[in-house]
């Protein structure tokens, strides 16, 4: 299946957009330097951004799981039970907008796949750390 074939799935588009948001937040917060926490500080400054990025990646994992479920539901339930169900919306969109959308979706979905693998590695390492420490 080509990357551009995933454009028809709603959650694939959401994951492409969300990956752009996550990458932007990581880049925007990576250049910020914080002073070390004092002995009376409850939380280190900059720690909140780290937790927000972790939650963004966790949300991202759920979005990709929903993408997988949407693909399975469409392929194995809707196509099998309702073979005549087609949504044909005929609109004329200029080719330049379609090309821009294809580029943005391809970049976003590729980043989504990279973030998914990164999120899985972080989750597995966290589980091993909790088990063995």
């Amino acid at each position: 299946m080509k990357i551009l074939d995933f454009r028809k799935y709603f959650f694939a588009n959401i994951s492409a957009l969300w990956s752009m948001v996550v990458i932007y937040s990581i880049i925007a917060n990576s250049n910020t330097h914080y002073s070390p926490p004092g002995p009376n500080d409850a939380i280190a400054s900059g720690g909140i951004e780290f937790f927000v990025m972790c939650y963004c990646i966790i949300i991202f994992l759920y979005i990709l799981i929903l993408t997988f479920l949407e693909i399975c539901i469409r392929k194995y339930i809707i196509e099998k039970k309702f073979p005549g169900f087609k949504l044909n919306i005929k609109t004329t969109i200029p080719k330049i907008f379609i090309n821009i959308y294809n580029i943005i979706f391809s970049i976003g979905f590729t980043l989504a796949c990279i973030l998914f693998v990164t999120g899985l590695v972080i989750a597995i390492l966290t589980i091993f750390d909790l088990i063995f420490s």
Side-chain angles (χ1 to χ4, degrees):
M1 196 176 226
K2 296 179 190 173
I3 287 179
L4 292 179
D5 290 343
F6 286 107
R7 289 181 308 164
K8 62 184 173 184
Y9 300 111
F10 175 75
F11 285 110
N13 287 301
I14 297 296
S15 66
L17 288 174
W18 188 252
S19 68
M20 300 269 191
V21 170
V22 171
I23 292 295
Y24 173 75
S25 68
I26 289 172
I27 290 171
N29 290 318
S30 67
N31 296 330
T32 309
H33 299 289
Y34 298 100
S35 60
N40 295 331
D41 292 340
I43 187 168
S45 59
I48 293 173
E49 287 88 358
F50 174 74
F51 286 118
V52 168
M53 285 188 277
C54 288
Y55 285 128
C56 285
I57 291 175
I58 290 170
I59 290 170
F60 183 72
L61 291 174
Y62 286 122
I63 289 173
L64 284 179
I65 290 169
L66 289 173
T67 302
F68 178 73
L69 288 175
E70 179 184 9
I71 291 170
C72 289
I73 287 171
R74 283 191 182 189
K75 288 241 182 241
Y76 299 113
I77 295 175
I78 293 178
E79 286 183 4
K80 302 283 185 197
K81 301 284 183 185
F82 309 104
F85 183 71
K86 301 277 189 230
L87 288 176
N88 292 329
I89 301 172
K90 301 288 183 184
T91 59
T92 56
I93 300 173
K95 188 117 173 119
I96 187 76
F97 292 129
I98 294 172
N99 290 337
I100 291 171
Y101 170 67
N102 287 340
I103 290 169
I104 291 172
F105 180 78
S106 297
I107 291 170
F109 198 72
T110 304
L111 289 173
C113 294
I114 292 169
L115 284 175
F116 179 71
V117 170
T118 305
L120 282 178
V121 168
I122 290 171
I124 290 170
L125 290 175
T126 304
I127 290 170
F128 280 137
D129 185 46
L130 290 173
I131 292 173
F132 295 119
S133 63

